[in-house]
Amino acid sequence: LPAALNYLNERRQFLILNPQHRDEKWKTEIIKGRPTKTSKPKDPVNQYEHAFGNAHSIHQKAIYSLIDDSVGRLHTPLTNIKSELRRFIKHGDETLVSIDLKNSQPYLSNIFFNPYFWSSQKSAKKYDNIYFNLIKATFNLLLTSNNKQTKTSNNYTKQITIKPTPLIILEEIRQAIENEYFINAGYNEGSDISRYRNLISNGELYGFLKDQFSVHLGDAFKSKRAVKGIVFTVFFTDNRFQDDTKKLFHKLFPMVTKMFEMIKRKDSTLLPRLLQSIESYLFLQVITKKIASKYPYIPLYTIHDSIVTTERYVDIVRKYMIEELTKHIGIPPTLEEEIWCPSKLSNENGKYKFVA
């Protein structure tokens, strides 16, 4: 804890003296009838107090946990703490390693292109029923989440208020996709669906998009951060909102875009909620459960789309992540490992660096 607090204090002082390096708080506002992203600098003092609270909770082992009733995500001090501070956390005396699913939202979206995911009937083939079970788990969560309270072992409570997705909307999407989409969707090697899946499986989607967007729309789209913002715009904005980036993505991946638009036809929040529900189900109900049942002594922590364990168990956890994600999504994932070590926050002189 002292080392983490020292880092927090130095970072707070640095940001107070150098406001140009403060993090931005983004939000979307409707300006002249169009969704527009606006931002303002975050307050370094508020950031310090929030980070201190999480760090102190972990140090005192006052660990709360909350299952989000809207999409089934698990929230703990570990998920809420700043990513830099996680580098100071250990499991006893052992170093921790996070194994992250790269490009998780585009990767998970690949399941939508499997007809069995949308099927309302169990298949005669046992293997295909993993998709049936997955769609039932995620759709059931979306259908039933409404004004629930979740209690944890230490009586931590939080009120969740979210309007459930009506069954009729999900049935309409299911029927439209089964009737309109898969009849016309091409799965040959030259189709944009096949290209989309291959790029994601090889970890090349963002690089491909960066090249395409910088050529067609200018150098402002050369950074990975800019491309990531474009992908989020495609996934999460209303179908009625169209800009040059969405139009170009549609041109590059017409059938992929059509699938996303069909899901968002009546509710633009349904696509991101479906993806987060799928993520929660796979990481909390499938992967970690399977590992824990076979290796109950392995420490496991989740941060949404990543699993954290100690160095000696990384190979086992990685193996199960690849196996289960490939089985459920249909293509192998790209994983990235990060060793949690405070020294990575320092420069060659041993001083903390606060600017990438």
Side-chain angles (χ1 to χ4, degrees):
L1 183 64
L5 295 184
N6 180 51
Y7 171 81
L8 280 178
N9 279 315
E10 289 193 24
R11 185 178 187 277
R12 176 181 56 179
Q13 192 62 24
F14 173 83
L15 293 176
I16 289 173
L17 298 175
N18 300 273
Q20 72 274 19
H21 293 301
R22 294 179 188 177
D23 296 332
E24 295 288 327
K25 183 176 182 179
W26 291 87
K27 66 178 180 177
T28 300
E29 297 179 312
I30 303 300
I31 299 177
K32 294 183 179 180
R34 301 189 64 177
T36 304
K37 282 188 174 182
T38 60
S39 68
K40 65 177 182 179
K42 292 183 179 180
D43 182 352
V45 176
N46 288 341
Q47 284 185 294
Y48 170 85
E49 291 173 352
H50 178 75
F52 175 86
N54 277 318
H56 193 263
S57 293
I58 293 173
H59 181 67
Q60 295 295 322
K61 299 181 181 177
I63 307 299
Y64 65 84
S65 62
L66 168 70
I67 295 291
D68 182 343
D69 287 316
S70 61
V71 292
R73 274 187 158 185
L74 174 66
H75 300 277
T76 67
L78 199 59
T79 63
N80 292 333
I81 200 168
K82 282 187 68 66
S83 59
E84 304 99 292
L85 288 181
R86 292 179 189 141
R87 298 176 186 273
F88 294 92
I89 301 173
K90 290 192 171 188
H91 180 80
D93 293 328
E94 294 186 75
T95 298
L96 290 168
V97 181
S98 66
I99 309 169
D100 304 325
L101 172 61
K102 298 298 292 180
N103 308 331
S104 62
Q105 302 289 327
Y107 173 78
L108 294 172
S109 73
N110 277 277
I111 199 170
F112 299 143
F113 307 114
N114 188 315
Y116 288 111
F117 178 78
W118 299 102
S119 175
S120 58
Q121 302 295 326
K122 277 197 172 185
S123 170
K125 299 178 181 179
K126 184 178 179 181
Y127 180 79
D128 292 333
N129 285 330
I130 61 173
Y131 303 107
F132 179 84
N133 294 335
L134 180 53
I135 189 64
K136 289 298 172 291
T138 53
F139 271 24
N140 184 63
L141 187 63
L142 296 178
L143 286 167
T144 58
S145 58
N146 189 21
N147 298 330
K148 291 185 176 181
Q149 277 194 338
T150 299
K151 288 189 176 182
T152 63
S153 57
N154 62 349
N155 293 321
Y156 178 87
T157 62
K158 183 176 181 179
Q159 182 76 31
I160 300 294
T161 303
I162 186 165
K163 186 177 179 181
T165 303
L167 177 62
I168 186 64
I169 290 182
L170 298 179
E171 279 302 318
E172 286 178 1
I173 293 171
R174 186 201 307 278
Q175 291 175 13
I177 288 172
E178 287 181 343
N179 296 335
E180 300 174 24
Y181 188 85
F182 288 114
I183 291 175
N184 300 314
Y187 281 89
N188 57 69
E189 284 301 313
S191 72
D192 68 280
I193 296 173
S194 177
R195 185 168 68 253
Y196 179 78
R197 289 164 65 85
N198 288 336
L199 285 168
I200 291 173
S201 179
N202 295 328
E204 298 172 350
L205 177 66
Y206 282 3
F208 171 80
L209 291 176
K210 184 176 71 172
D211 293 341
Q212 293 294 319
F213 278 91
S214 61
V215 167
H216 293 282
L217 298 178
D219 291 345
F221 299 97
K222 275 190 173 182
S223 72
K224 182 179 179 180
R225 183 174 182 178
V227 173
K228 197 170 184 178
I230 293 168
V231 172
F232 274 69
T233 298
V234 171
F235 275 55
F236 303 148
T237 57
D238 192 287
N239 291 344
R240 292 169 295 182
F241 172 68
Q242 294 291 326
D243 62 6
D244 290 341
T245 59
K246 285 186 78 171
K247 290 175 182 176
L248 181 54
F249 188 93
H250 183 279
K251 184 178 179 180
L252 295 169
F253 302 106
M255 293 302 295
V256 172
T257 304
K258 183 180 179 182
M259 170 63 81
F260 296 160
E261 290 179 346
M262 293 179 79
I263 296 172
K264 297 189 295 180
R265 183 178 291 175
K266 292 191 175 181
D267 182 357
S268 61
T269 72
L270 186 55
L271 177 59
R273 288 193 290 133
L274 258 179
L275 289 169
Q276 290 179 359
S277 299
I278 292 167
E279 169 207 280
S280 301
Y281 176 78
L282 291 176
F283 278 78
L284 299 178
Q285 303 299 324
V286 177
I287 301 172
T288 51
K289 272 192 174 182
K290 181 162 281 192
I291 297 172
S293 67
K294 294 194 175 185
Y295 305 95
Y297 51 85
I298 292 183
L300 296 170
Y301 308 95
T302 61
I303 305 176
H304 305 319
D305 57 6
S306 68
I307 299 177
V308 183
T309 189
T310 52
E311 286 183 294
R312 55 178 163 162
Y313 298 122
V314 166
D315 290 343
I316 294 174
V317 174
R318 186 199 310 112
K319 172 180 175 290
Y320 278 91
M321 288 180 71
I322 293 173
E323 286 181 359
E324 294 303 322
L325 288 169
T326 303
K327 182 196 299 183
H328 285 80
I329 303 302
I331 59 174
T334 299
L335 303 179
E336 184 175 82
E337 296 168 17
E338 181 185 30
I339 299 174
W340 287 4
C341 179
S343 63
K344 292 189 176 184
L345 297 172
S346 306
N347 59 25
E348 60 274 11
N349 298 317
K351 298 290 185 180
Y352 289 127
K353 52 184 179 183
F354 302 106
V355 181

